[in-house]
């Protein structure tokens, strides 16, 4: 029923406002015959009389007045929604829905936004921190325009570009047997107890793959959702971890470079294929792609 009624609601509101079909047709720039037929069909579809006819003029019936109240609210909501989407697409003041990994929230993303807004000071952002798979689903659901994620996804419905890579470190307690070392082979930690992210996180997949490449299956004692929480567990002596560098040094741990296998995670930007960009999204996408090789703080 709503699909049948919707095209006629604005016509109905115009006739109700002017109480004159000819005048309403002139104001809305539609033929009078079109407007008259639309009102007759609207009444037929509803099964009630909305207007009392008095020659060339009309007046609302009680049912028409009740219907008009709801129609005006509906049209006002449509207009509000139209204004909102127009505002979000405005090149100067529009909005970008941007997702990124938790580990990039403290330093990387604030730095990117600061640099971008130097040339686009009024563009607004809706920021979402999440793990990689959740952000990719956000892209598919239309909740995000772009996301920074790792590993760089490979899916037919997405476009992804590698931007940078981040070295991973073996994080051990400050009093650990390896704590005085500057670098280590991952195989040297084969007998250790690990703390790591939960399955489904991109960093967890990288961790599992690197341990397999080093020739062992890790013994995992704790699984979490956030890297700095894992560092806290390491500092408490509850295990070791393979993590990206911290934003600020964490007391109670030592962080060792991993020489073998090559322990890095690639960082990329992804978006939904074949979805048109609004001007602010297109500008931010160009900005991110211009940061290839220079995305992460040094």
């Amino acid at each position: 029923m709503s699909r049948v009624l919707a095209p006629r609601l604005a016509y109905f509101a115009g006739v109700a406002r002017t109480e004159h079909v000819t005048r309403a047709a002139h104001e809305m720039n539609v033929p009078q015959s079109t407007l008259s037929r639309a009102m007759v069909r609207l009444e037929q579809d509803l099964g009630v009389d909305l207007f009392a006819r008095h020659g060339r003029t009309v007046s609302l019936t009680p049912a028409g007045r009740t219907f008009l109240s709801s129609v005006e609210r509906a049209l006002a909501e449509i207009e509000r929604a139209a204004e909102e989407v127009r505002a979000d697409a405005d090149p100067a003041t529009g909005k970008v829905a941007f997702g990124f990994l938790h580990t990039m929230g403290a330093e990387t993303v604030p730095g990117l936004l600061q640099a971008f807004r130097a040339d686009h000071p009024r563009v607004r952002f809706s920021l979402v921190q999440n793990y990689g798979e959740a952000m990719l689903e956000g892209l598919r659901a239309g909740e995000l325009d772009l996301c920074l994620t790792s590993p760089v996804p490979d899916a037919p419905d997405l476009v992804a570009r590698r931007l940078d890579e981040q070295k991973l470190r073996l994080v051990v307690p400050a009093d650990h047997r390896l704590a005085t070392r500057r670098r280590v082979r991952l195989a040297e930690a084969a007998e250790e107890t690990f703390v790591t992210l939960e399955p489904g996180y991109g960093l967890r997949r990288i961790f599992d793959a690197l341990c397999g490449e080093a020739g062992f299956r890790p013994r995992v004692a704790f699984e979490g959702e956030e890297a700095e929480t894992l560092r806290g567990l390491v500092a408490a002596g509850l295990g070791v971890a393979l993590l990206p560098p911290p934003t600020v040094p964490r007391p109670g741990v030592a962080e060792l470079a991993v020489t073998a296998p090559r322990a890095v995670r690639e960082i990329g930007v992804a978006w939904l294929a074949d979805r048109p960009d609004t001007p602010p999204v297109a500008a931010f996408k160009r900005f991110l792609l211009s940061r290839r090789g220079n995305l992460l703080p040094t």
Side-chain angles (χ1 to χ4, degrees):
M1 177 65 75
S2 61
R3 293 181 181 179
V4 173
L5 297 179
R8 301 172 188 151
L9 297 184
Y11 287 170
F12 166 73
V15 174
R17 183 179 63 254
T18 61
E19 296 188 333
H20 199 287
V21 175
T22 303
R23 191 177 305 130
H26 177 73
E27 289 183 0
M28 289 186 284
N29 197 29
V30 296
Q32 178 178 334
S33 58
T34 298
L35 195 56
S36 296
R37 284 195 300 270
M39 293 304 94
V40 170
R41 288 171 184 167
L42 178 60
E43 291 176 313
Q44 290 172 344
D45 290 334
L46 292 173
V48 296
D49 291 330
L50 300 175
F51 298 103
R53 274 77 177 176
H54 313 285
R56 295 184 179 181
T57 65
V58 295
S59 62
L60 288 170
T61 64
R65 283 193 294 273
T66 299
F67 191 56
L68 177 63
S69 178
S70 295
V71 166
E72 288 179 332
R73 288 197 299 272
L75 293 175
E77 182 63 20
I78 292 170
E79 182 61 27
R80 185 204 61 77
E83 288 296 332
E84 184 175 307
V85 296
R86 282 195 291 264
D88 287 349
D90 185 275
T93 63
K95 185 171 72 174
V96 180
F98 181 44
F100 52 92
L101 301 168
H102 289 282
T103 51
M104 310 194 78
E107 188 173 359
T108 299
V109 168
L112 289 172
L113 298 182
Q114 181 185 42
F116 176 74
R117 295 195 81 200
D119 293 324
H120 304 82
R122 297 166 63 200
V123 169
R124 297 168 292 125
F125 283 83
S126 172
L127 302 177
V128 176
Q129 291 177 268
N130 216 324
Y131 65 97
E133 286 300 321
M135 288 192 294
L136 300 186
E137 289 308 308
L139 290 176
R140 294 181 173 109
E143 298 165 357
L144 294 175
D145 297 309
L146 303 164
C147 70
L148 287 182
T149 189
S150 177
V152 180
D154 181 12
D157 61 333
L158 300 175
V159 179
R161 297 288 183 267
R162 181 186 180 277
L163 296 179
D164 213 336
E165 68 178 25
Q166 191 173 43
K167 293 181 179 179
L168 303 178
R169 300 173 177 178
L170 184 68
V171 185
V172 302
D175 58 357
H176 191 271
R177 63 182 177 85
L178 297 173
T180 58
R181 301 268 297 274
R182 295 185 60 186
R183 50 185 58 88
V184 66
R185 290 178 294 108
L186 188 57
E188 295 181 70
E191 300 304 316
E192 298 289 339
T193 296
F194 282 85
V195 299
T196 185
L197 296 177
E198 295 178 348
Y201 283 70
L203 186 58
R204 174 62 180 269
R205 295 200 301 275
I206 295 170
F207 165 73
D208 289 341
L210 289 171
C211 290
E213 193 175 343
F216 69 95
R217 183 174 181 176
R219 184 170 64 250
V220 176
F222 296 93
E223 296 175 331
E225 298 180 344
E226 201 272 324
E228 288 312 301
T229 299
L230 299 183
R231 271 193 174 81
L233 296 175
V234 173
L238 298 175
V240 303
L242 192 67
L243 297 172
T247 303
V248 295
R250 174 74 183 244
V253 302
E255 309 222 359
L256 316 178
V258 178
T259 58
R262 187 170 183 267
V264 299
R265 68 169 179 172
E266 292 186 333
I267 305 294
V269 59
W271 59 89
L272 196 65
D274 301 324
R275 176 185 292 166
D277 291 332
T278 63
V281 171
F284 190 57
K285 183 187 294 184
R286 288 193 299 269
F287 168 79
L288 289 176
L289 293 175
S290 75
R291 306 283 291 200
R292 283 176 175 152
N294 191 34
L295 180 77
L296 303 170
T298 56

